[in-house]
Every structure is written in structure tokens, then in C-alpha cells.
Amino acid sequence: MTKKELIRKAAIQIFREKGYSGTTLRDISREAGVSVSTVSYYYGSKENMYKTLFPEDMAQQEPKRREQIENAAIRLFALKGYSDVSIRDIGKEAGVNSAAISYYFGGKRELYSAILQKGSALLVDFVEQAAHGDHTPMEIMEMYSRFFYRLMKEHPYILRIFSWEMIHPTDVFASIGKERFAMVLVVLRGALTEGIEEGCFRKDLKPTEVCISWAGMVAYYYLMNEIKKRFSVKEEITEDSYMHQAFDVLMNGIKNKEIG
């Protein structure tokens, strides 16, 4: 047998015995009686080798592996921010090697970009819902509150990444999310302006500043622990409670009290 054939035979045997995760290139090289560098020469990474030897199995695993990496990255980016997360960190969190991340996404920037694309698509959903039908200004504001509440419940890490971007903006976000956030601003500003003209909102409001204030109130939740430390607050504050209170404060602040 040639060296490549020996490696192939050894790899198939060990992958079947130990599975993908339990197999290393060193295991294969030892079984084939060659060096690890020889295995890499013929097949590259473990990922590429498995794809070559078990193409059907790899095709079935690919969506799951991609999702596994993406979910791990979302958690880390949400908790630590973009700049403090490395490919090695993501690989460790996802239980894969760095080569797998490069294979599926290219690199950290591309992975972060994919996450922002998915997350900011949720903003488009809100804009489309607000544009569909004849909604009153109050209904649009309430719809926005429900949107954030749903985002907090279903995609809490995405919301936290958005909050990181408000405090520590990246150029990756600027090329993806900026336009979509601008669309949201247009919708909310339009609703506030219409509400002022109709008299249901206070006439002295400045719509753009109200929108920015509301976005800041949402982002502020993720600074909660540090703020609580500064003021020695021991009371537990839940996301539900905070979001309801923030929206209540906002709506009571913008309503025209003269019409009840």
C-alpha cells in the first residue's frame, strides 16, 4: 500500500471506532505508521479528511456543526464583545478546532458578520410589520416594545450584541446593521411625528431624541450589574421587569396628558 492508502485505511477504521470528535490526526498517524505531517500533507485537516472519506455523513453534519459554531460565537460575542473574543475561544466553546471555523465561515470577522446579518434581519421584520396595515402611532410604539420583548426572550444574546455595538461600535456592524437600524429610526420617528400632529403625544417632543433615548434605555439593561454595584443595590432586577418599567416610563413621558 502507498502511504496515502495506509492513512485512508487507518482513518476509516478509527473514525468508525471513535467517531469524529474522539479521533485525532495523531491517532490516525500512529495507526498508519506515518508522521502527523504526512497525514496533513495528503488530507489537510481532520475536517477535510472526514469530508473526503465520509461525504454523505459530512453533508448531514454540516448544518448542525455550523449552527454549533454560530451559537457558541453568539454567546461569547454577547458576553465579552467582538474585540475580546478569539477564534480559539470560539472553537473551545463550540468543541471544534479553529480549522472548522475557517472552513465554515472564513474567520472571526466573517463569522461575526453572519451573526449580525441574522440578528439585524429581525429589525427588518419589525419594519415590515409596522408598514403592513393601518397602525396608529401608539400601536407602532407598542409594537416596537413587543418586538424588543420578543427579542429579549427568543434571542437574548443577539440583543446584548446590539447593546455592545451601541457602546463599542465595530466597522463590521457599520457595514451591515447601520442601515437596518436607520430603517427602524425612520419608522419610529414617523410614528412619533404623526402622534404629535394628531395630539396623542406631547407637542414639545423631539422625535429623534425620543428614539435615541428609548434605544439607550434598552441597552442600559446590560450595564445593570455595574450600576447596581455603584449604588449598592442588592435587589434582583429581571429583564421582564426592567423592560416593562422602561416602556411604561417612555410611554407615560410622551403621552399628551391633556387628552387623558
Side-chain angles (χ1 to χ4, degrees):
M1 285 189 184
T2 64
K3 286 184 178 179
K4 187 173 184 180
E5 289 170 339
L6 286 169
I7 294 168
R8 182 179 185 280
K9 182 180 178 181
I12 290 173
Q13 177 187 329
I14 295 176
F15 277 131
R16 284 176 176 167
E17 288 176 356
K18 297 185 175 182
Y20 179 82
S21 299
T23 299
T24 66
L25 292 184
R26 189 170 296 281
D27 293 333
I28 295 168
S29 69
R30 190 181 299 115
E31 180 68 25
V34 300
S35 66
V36 174
S37 60
T38 302
V39 177
S40 298
Y41 172 78
Y42 285 110
Y43 288 98
S45 66
K46 184 176 81 168
E47 190 100 22
N48 289 336
M49 176 185 284
Y50 195 83
K51 186 176 182 180
T52 300
L53 300 177
F54 305 95
E56 292 182 4
D57 189 30
M58 195 64 179
Q60 292 176 352
Q61 287 190 29
E62 189 160 315
K64 182 179 178 182
R65 183 67 54 80
R66 189 181 174 90
E67 183 180 5
Q68 182 180 339
I69 293 169
E70 201 170 75
N71 288 340
I74 288 172
R75 286 194 299 273
L76 289 177
F77 286 137
L79 296 174
K80 300 170 70 174
Y82 177 73
S83 60
D84 288 337
V85 175
S86 69
I87 286 292
R88 188 179 296 276
D89 294 332
I90 297 167
K92 185 177 179 181
E93 180 78 7
V96 301
N97 58 35
S98 299
I101 298 172
S102 298
Y103 173 78
Y104 288 110
F105 293 96
K108 185 176 94 163
R109 181 186 177 87
E110 291 78 10
L111 174 52
Y112 192 62
S113 176
I115 289 168
L116 290 178
Q117 286 279 9
K118 180 182 288 188
S120 59
L122 299 170
L123 299 174
V124 177
D125 288 345
F126 161 72
V127 172
E128 290 178 347
Q129 288 175 28
H132 183 72
D134 187 20
H135 301 291
T136 67
M138 186 68 75
E139 286 171 344
I140 290 177
M141 296 303 290
E142 289 173 350
M143 191 183 299
Y144 187 60
S145 175
R146 289 196 301 272
F147 160 74
F148 258 110
Y149 186 75
R150 191 185 114 216
L151 193 60
M152 179 187 70
K153 283 296 184 183
E154 297 177 11
H155 307 280
Y157 289 124
I158 292 291
L159 182 55
R160 187 157 185 159
I161 288 173
F162 286 166
S163 296
W164 269 105
E165 284 292 342
M166 290 180 191
I167 302 168
H168 304 289
T170 65
D171 61 333
V172 188
F173 180 81
S175 64
I176 295 169
K178 188 175 180 181
E179 183 178 343
R180 291 177 174 179
F181 266 93
M183 290 165 58
V184 173
L185 178 61
V186 168
V187 170
L188 294 180
R189 191 166 51 197
L192 284 162
T193 300
E194 185 179 343
I196 292 169
E197 291 172 353
E198 291 179 358
C200 58
F201 296 151
R202 286 167 36 198
K203 293 193 178 297
D204 61 336
L205 291 179
K206 296 182 179 179
T208 299
E209 292 176 20
V210 172
C211 292
I212 292 172
S213 297
W214 174 228
M217 288 167 76
V218 173
Y220 207 68
Y221 175 80
Y222 295 101
L223 297 174
M224 183 71 65
N225 288 334
E226 289 303 315
I227 300 299
K228 285 169 64 178
K229 286 178 189 176
R230 300 289 184 275
F231 290 95
S232 300
V233 175
K234 303 196 183 302
E235 178 185 352
E236 183 65 27
I237 301 175
T238 66
E239 289 179 337
D240 285 18
S241 175
Y242 180 87
M243 291 292 281
H244 282 304
Q245 289 291 321
F247 185 68
D248 186 60
V249 168
L250 172 76
M251 295 310 295
N252 277 300
I254 68 175
K255 284 179 183 176
N256 185 353
K257 303 296 191 299
E258 293 178 2
I259 63 171

